[in-house]
Amino acid sequence: MARKTRKIANRSTKKRNTHHVANSIGIGMIAVAVIVVMVAICVPHPLAAVHRQENSTVQAYAVGSEQQRVGSGNSDNSAGAVESEKGIETQKRPGRKELDKIVDEGDRFARQGRFPQAIQTYLEYVHAMRDEAPPRTDVFLKLAVANERNGHFKQAMKYFEQVAETSLRTRSSAVLDLTTSLLKAGEMAQALRLWRESIAYYHRAVENGAADDRIYFDLGVSLTQQSYVQKDAKLMAEAVKAFDNATRHRKGRKNGGNDDARQQTKYLVHKATAMIEAGELEQGDKLLHKWMKSKKHNADPTLHWHVGFTLMKKQPKISARHYEILADLALSKKKGKGIPGLPGQVVFYSLGEAYKNMGDLDKRAQCYDRAIKAGLWRSPIQRPEFMTSKKLPLSPFPSHDPKLRDDKKMKPLWDFIAKLEESVDDIRHEYEYVVNITQGGTSAIISNDKEGLTDRGAWGQVNFVRNGHKIPDTWGDAYVVQDGRKIYTSELFRTTLGLLTSIRTKGGLAHLLPRGQADFSSLEGQTHIVPHCGPGNHKLRLHLPLILPKDVKARIRVGEQEKEWKEGKVLVLDDSFEHEVWNESHDRRVVFIVDVWHPHLSSSKRRNEARNYFYKKN
């Protein structure tokens, strides 16, 4: 849920005018000056235990072709093999016409949406130009956009940065390229939640005279987020100045019109919220009241969402005020279908949380009752953002429900669970081996809680599937080095990936499952995951315990029931119910989490209902 809210809160941030970048990848060439200095890019893989020291020019250009093998992106249906570096290196360099044809071929792939193939084709051009100068700058810009569209944000960020560096070094005609590249590099850093890096990109844009209101606004967003990380009020004060500069630069534009008014309103609301966060409560709230008195304050409901979400913990009364407006809009007959991009379930869930933070549990109960009467939920303890139109069994723990144990529709699930339990020792060994071998660099493979769901302790994850998409690093793109030999994750996680592949293929329990997840989830001792609800009731979640504390039992509450994990026994839960987790021991608790379709949601029509909701939303 927290991911969802964060995404909505920043949605307006990412709707930028990047048509000149998009055109560069499949529609036309960006006019740029000749580069005098040969470009060399090298992006080391994040899981490499040691830095690669090969001095090959080919490798310098390739951005690690091991990382960008066709089919390594988030899409499960991208296929094909990439030509080896050795094979490319021994080829005779094509002539200029042949090189242009290679780029045209990459453009064709990009227009068709076949971004892995486009990336490989553009890299073929870069390899061919390794001994010649100058390579075409627009190809690197196209590589950046193709990587962005394919979900390789780190590579995209590096390519955008390289184009910007080239523009600065050569002082070519590339103010447009400079602005675009720094803006997009900052955007990629934001997508990766690398707030320091994005701040640095935007500052460089300003220093080099390429600033506009969009860059100042994005700078303000990144400063705001970094201030949360560092708990630094000075950064929040800088964010206020950045939003102020965004407003000033927007006013300086000549086009005017409704778009200017909308943008200036957005900048004002973000400024007011940042002022409240920075301790200027009275001044910030005055700005919000001024905005709410205007006739068009409901023109962009996402601004009310931004205020409500941002101030939910520190100023829950102000937060609730804005969520109440959204709740009325969500059920408004005039709106008919509610608020585009803001499901009613999400609005009422958030309003309930604001009331809870205020300490007003009566209002919270009234809020949930109102949502249930409106048909948004079936129960006050089951509050996901998506509810399938088919009524499913209300069972927080299906694995402990006698009726479901004997249900014929559940049999394929019980069969898969038997395979999981038979493989528990191998899966545990794979987890322990990788964690041990990457000690000293575990942050590269184990990500910490990014959803803000822990109020104490530490929660780590090794992600295989996130939001329904494979994570390339754990499916073979990454490797560790042991005794001088590269061992790829496809080998390290052989059993784990084999089991996941068996349910992700056509007809499998998790085939094209939206918002599906699979990971090793580790809770350190004295960790608490706060109550929250999953994104939808279209799926069930499996917990296979790998490592359990010895002294004090770890436990999980789903709905109104509490359970403890048992060695080697899968626990099945419906995470659309409110749930929370405790590990009150001093030992680590590790479970293998796998999401699957709810077996009672077997028809294509019902599954497409869930797919259409989540894919359209994203």
Side-chain angles (χ1 to χ4, degrees), residues 30-208:
I30 292 180
V32 291
V34 170
I35 303 174
V36 178
V37 182
M38 192 60 138
V39 181
I41 305 172
C42 183
V43 181
H45 199 281
L47 291 190
V50 294
H51 291 293
R52 287 176 285 181
Q53 310 217 337
E54 295 91 343
N55 294 319
S56 165
T57 308
V58 175
Q59 187 178 13
Y61 275 130
V63 196
S65 49
E66 292 152 344
Q67 297 177 14
Q68 301 211 328
R69 289 176 291 174
V70 175
S72 66
N74 287 340
S75 173
D76 291 345
N77 56 12
S78 56
V82 171
E83 191 170 5
S84 69
E85 290 181 8
K86 184 177 179 181
I88 295 175
E89 189 174 4
T90 57
Q91 290 179 353
K92 182 178 180 181
R93 188 179 74 83
R96 174 61 64 178
K97 288 184 178 180
E98 286 77 10
L99 289 170
D100 289 342
K101 286 182 179 179
I102 292 174
V103 177
D104 290 342
E105 180 75 358
D107 293 346
R108 185 176 67 82
F109 283 134
R111 284 194 299 270
Q112 296 172 349
R114 299 165 65 185
F115 296 108
Q117 289 87 344
I119 292 168
Q120 174 56 21
T121 307
Y122 293 140
L123 283 174
E124 185 180 340
Y125 166 85
V126 174
H127 279 296
M129 291 297 294
R130 67 189 183 278
D131 296 325
E132 300 290 332
R136 285 167 44 180
T137 313
D138 68 321
V139 174
F140 290 100
L141 198 54
K142 293 177 182 194
L143 268 168
V145 178
N147 273 284
E148 175 191 359
R149 297 294 299 277
N150 199 43
H152 290 291
F153 294 140
K154 287 184 180 179
Q155 287 90 333
M157 182 175 70
K158 293 296 182 181
Y159 279 125
F160 281 125
E161 181 180 9
Q162 183 61 47
V163 174
E165 291 289 352
T166 300
S167 300
L168 291 172
R169 277 202 312 271
T170 62
R171 294 294 175 184
S172 63
S173 61
V175 174
L176 177 65
D177 278 355
L178 174 63
T179 305
T180 298
S181 301
L182 289 173
L183 183 66
K184 294 298 290 183
E187 182 182 337
M188 295 301 95
Q190 281 187 335
L192 293 165
R193 305 185 65 76
L194 300 174
W195 309 117
R196 287 179 184 273
E197 288 81 352
S198 63
I199 290 169
Y201 289 131
Y202 297 136
H203 275 312
R204 285 168 58 193
V206 173
E207 291 166 1
N208 287 279

Side-chain angles (χ1 to χ4, degrees), residues 305-444:
W305 174 269
H306 169 73
V307 178
F309 174 72
T310 305
L311 301 180
M312 183 185 286
K313 292 184 178 179
K314 290 187 177 180
Q315 297 294 333
K317 286 186 179 181
I318 298 176
S319 173
R321 187 173 72 206
H322 290 268
Y323 280 135
E324 286 167 353
I325 293 172
L326 291 174
D328 290 339
L329 286 174
L331 301 184
S332 170
K333 293 181 180 179
K334 293 181 181 179
K335 288 287 179 180
K337 295 183 179 179
I339 309 169
L342 287 175
Q345 292 93 332
V346 177
V347 172
F348 277 91
Y349 178 88
S350 302
L351 177 57
E353 290 297 293
Y355 286 144
K356 183 183 76 172
N357 293 340
M358 288 168 55
D360 196 334
L361 299 184
D362 288 338
K363 277 193 174 181
R364 185 192 190 205
Q366 292 170 11
C367 166
Y368 294 160
D369 286 342
R370 187 183 176 195
I372 291 169
K373 288 178 181 178
L376 298 178
W377 298 318
R378 293 172 60 191
S379 165
I381 59 173
Q382 187 185 31
R383 309 184 304 276
E385 65 174 274
F386 170 79
M387 290 284 286
T388 176
S389 58
K390 180 178 180 180
K391 288 188 177 181
L392 301 174
L394 281 171
S395 180
F397 288 104
S399 54
H400 289 68
D401 188 328
K403 291 182 179 179
L404 294 179
R405 291 297 305 182
D406 297 329
D407 192 319
K408 291 182 179 180
K409 291 185 177 180
M410 302 289 286
K411 187 178 185 304
L413 176 60
W414 306 138
D415 291 344
F416 175 68
I417 286 175
K419 293 179 181 178
L420 273 180
E421 292 176 347
E422 288 171 3
S423 306
V424 63
D425 291 336
D426 292 335
I427 297 171
R428 183 189 300 113
H429 174 74
E430 290 176 352
Y431 167 80
E432 291 178 332
Y433 181 81
V434 170
V435 169
N436 291 335
I437 202 172
T438 55
Q439 287 297 332
T442 54
S443 60

